[in-house]
Amino acid sequence: MCGIVGYIGSRSAADVLIQGLKHLEYRGYDSAGIALFIKNQIVIEKSEGRLGNIEKIFRDKRVPLYSSCGIGHTRWATHGKPTTKNAHPHKTGHVVLVHNGIIENYLEIKKELILKGHTPQSETDSELFGFLVLDEMELGASLVTAVRRSFSKLLGQCSVVVMSEREPEKIVGVRNGSPLVVVRDPEGGVVIASDAQPLLPFSREVIFLEHGDLVIATHEGMQVIELESGLEVERKPLSLEWSIEQMDKGGFPHYMLKEIYEQPGVITHTLNQILDRNQKNPFSLFPQPGVNLLNQAQELCLVACGTSWHAALLGKYWIERWSGIPVNVELASEFRYRDPVVRSGTLVIGVSQSGETADTLAVLREMRVRRVPTLGVSNVRGSSIAREADAVFFTSAGPEVGVAATKTFMAQILVMLVFAGYLGFKQKKKSNLEIAQLFNELVKIPHLLSQELEEGSEMLKQIRVTVQNLSHSKGFFFIGRGYSYPLALEGALKLKEIAYDYAEGYAAGELKHGPIAMIDQGMVVVVLAPRDSWRDKTVSNLEEVKARGAMIVGIGDSDDYDLKNLCDDWIPLPSENRSIDAGLLSFILAPVVQLFSYYRAVQKGTDVDKPRNLAKSVTVE
Ligand code: AGP
């Protein structure tokens, strides 16, 4: 979604803003712009397309635009096309603003403004806020008061950052839902952004503004007040562990590839962060409020979107198998609007790598109103879900820059398995010996993943060969049963996201209930059939599609020659996998489907890390 950076201090604001916006590119955007105070006037440069266009505008200026105060924005279009006119910052008289989120009552506001004689220049909801501030300032209000009064007229979740030529060298930001974070620049000054990543080069002591906070940044420092009361509040910084080095591609051609290769470490770090190894239950969790919530739960409801929903679905399979506790898995965008029945004793768990997904967050808020206990599983400390759920478990995947989730998915499924083991021990559905065996198998995974990803592995070689044979495919079905079904869904989603191929994920047994009508020679069926209790049934389904002429890509055990013989292309799982329980093969399958999509996207020349139309954190409905 949209990215915001604001800076006031002794450095070149243009440089800080452009570098900061670069850190936000991963969120997805279609236009960009910056506004700078230059001799008490605000100069705006904006353009549709990539941030490089703005950089070029600056390069082309003969005289460098020196400024020590400004705001910048990357826009992900919601209201109005991705054009230069609709790009932020918007200037209305002496007021300039950038905005992230949606003004839900923008039509009413627009009508009122037009009746008053104003003429909005863009199609955006954002620009309207500038007119509201302008009108208040014309009545004599200060910038801060004007922003506060104007904000009270808005409906919806959004954040704005505003400047005015009437009060030079001052930035006012409001957080109302959409995140806004602030750091003090050790060289003097303040940096504001819509997420923490642009702030890391300045400081890791980051202040996450609360919902309803207003920050005033000047050369002297910053002050935070409550939007409603106007009273000053103290906000303590949170020390982030993420380092700026983690934001680097580390020699990989794309962040996505780097992040796929980080997965073995993600498992180890996450286990170290959440497991207390000094207890009888090998899946014992370090004491924290979330453990009590899990202990009390008679039923779980996992709520998520996209890839996180796939992780949750796998969680259902594991948790029910190991603990016997019933688990529902819900798409947040559906759940929130359908008057769901939530039985007493249910723990609602929001799974979200970003911790900012609007629909998942809204479900947790709704549950809080209903006094249903909530738990978050997130990768981002200080995120909205992490702060608003009753308790949170953090995955330790580190910053994920590629828009397509990979290592955060791995971390999420790990947490799901840990919940299964923890609750399984507690519920005594399985013997302690079985739980201990599961744990012993789990700790082998990082090593197996490293072997799987080693250059020269048969798996890697075959993925590349297979992708070469795909050039004219018209569409893909990913099929699997049992634990491979959520991976089939994830494989299809990854392919759609980054390679823009038509792709569907299906439970293999469902194909003959309709989709098989689509199968013909131009279609590719990717079958996930590792040696587990579902393998034989999946292979039968495969025979059905083979009879209809589809090209078949098999992913299975290296010595599964029967399966291999049915397939046109064959991606073997590393033979070392035979040493782990079939129930854990999802961990090994994940990089296969991720890399399959990655190489397909590279073959097609798409923008792997910043695929079109997508945003890293979806902060609007
Ligand atoms: C994953 O590759 C996608 N970008 C998307 O489906 C994502 O998983 C979804 O938007 C949910 O995001 P979250 O985990 O941050 O809540």
Side-chain angles (χ1 to χ4, degrees), residues 163-233:
M163 305 190 297
S164 162
E165 286 166 341
R166 290 258 176 96
E167 297 187 28
E169 306 286 310
K170 181 186 283 176
I171 301 175
V172 174
V174 176
R175 179 193 177 164
N176 181 46
S178 307
L180 215 51
V181 283
V182 198
V183 294
R184 290 176 207 280
D185 179 356
E187 290 186 13
V190 178
V191 198
I192 304 176
S194 50
D195 85 35
Q197 306 202 2
L199 308 183
L200 291 174
F202 299 88
S203 169
R204 289 203 221 160
E205 301 296 307
V206 176
I207 295 174
F208 286 83
L209 294 181
E210 300 282 344
H211 184 72
D213 278 355
L214 180 150
V215 64
I216 307 155
T218 61
H219 284 287
E220 283 69 51
M222 70 168 108
Q223 188 194 16
V224 182
I225 63 171
E226 278 177 356
L227 188 62
E228 251 183 66
S229 68
L231 295 175
E232 184 164 1
V233 281

Side-chain angles (χ1 to χ4, degrees), residues 283 322 417 434-448 531 577-584 587-588:
F283 287 97
W322 286 92
L417 190 84
E434 285 171 296
I435 299 277
Q437 269 169 0
L438 177 68
F439 184 78
N440 291 339
E441 304 275 299
L442 175 63
V443 292
K444 291 181 196 163
I445 299 283
H447 178 64
L448 291 175
R531 55 165 172 98
N577 290 328
R578 301 204 68 79
S579 65
I580 58 157
D581 186 279
L584 297 184
F587 288 100
I588 309 297

Side-chain angles (χ1 to χ4, degrees), residues 66-80:
Y66 183 77
S67 165
S68 60
C69 177
I71 55 181
H73 190 265
T74 45
R75 175 172 186 256
W76 190 84
T78 56
H79 296 62

Side-chain angles (χ1 to χ4, degrees), residues 305-308 351-355 357 403-405 412 493-494 497 618:
C305 304
T307 290
S308 298
V351 185
S352 169
Q353 66 79 20
S354 65
T357 299
V403 164
Q412 287 170 338
L493 179 65
K494 287 280 96 72
E497 281 190 296
V618 183

Side-chain angles (χ1 to χ4, degrees), residues 270-288 291 393 418 422 439:
T270 303
L271 285 178
N272 287 342
Q273 291 296 317
I274 60 175
L275 286 189
D276 179 356
R277 303 295 303 280
N278 296 316
Q279 305 296 324
K280 198 165 152 217
N281 177 357
F283 287 97
S284 272
L285 296 155
F286 279 122
Q288 64 120 305
V291 179
F393 281 95
V418 168
Y422 175 77
F439 184 78

Side-chain angles (χ1 to χ4, degrees), residues 337-390:
Y337 291 116
R338 67 166 170 76
D339 293 331
V341 176
V342 182
R343 278 189 288 259
S344 139
T346 301
L347 172 64
V348 173
I349 305 182
V351 185
S352 169
Q353 66 79 20
S354 65
E356 300 296 348
T357 299
D359 286 315
T360 311
L361 185 58
V363 170
L364 296 185
R365 285 182 180 149
E366 165 73 15
M367 292 301 114
R368 211 155 130 192
V369 172
R370 293 207 211 174
R371 297 183 186 282
V372 175
T374 57
L375 185 66
V377 174
S378 175
N379 195 46
V380 182
R381 280 164 211 274
S383 62
S384 301
I385 286 175
R387 288 135 52 91
E388 293 192 32
D390 295 325

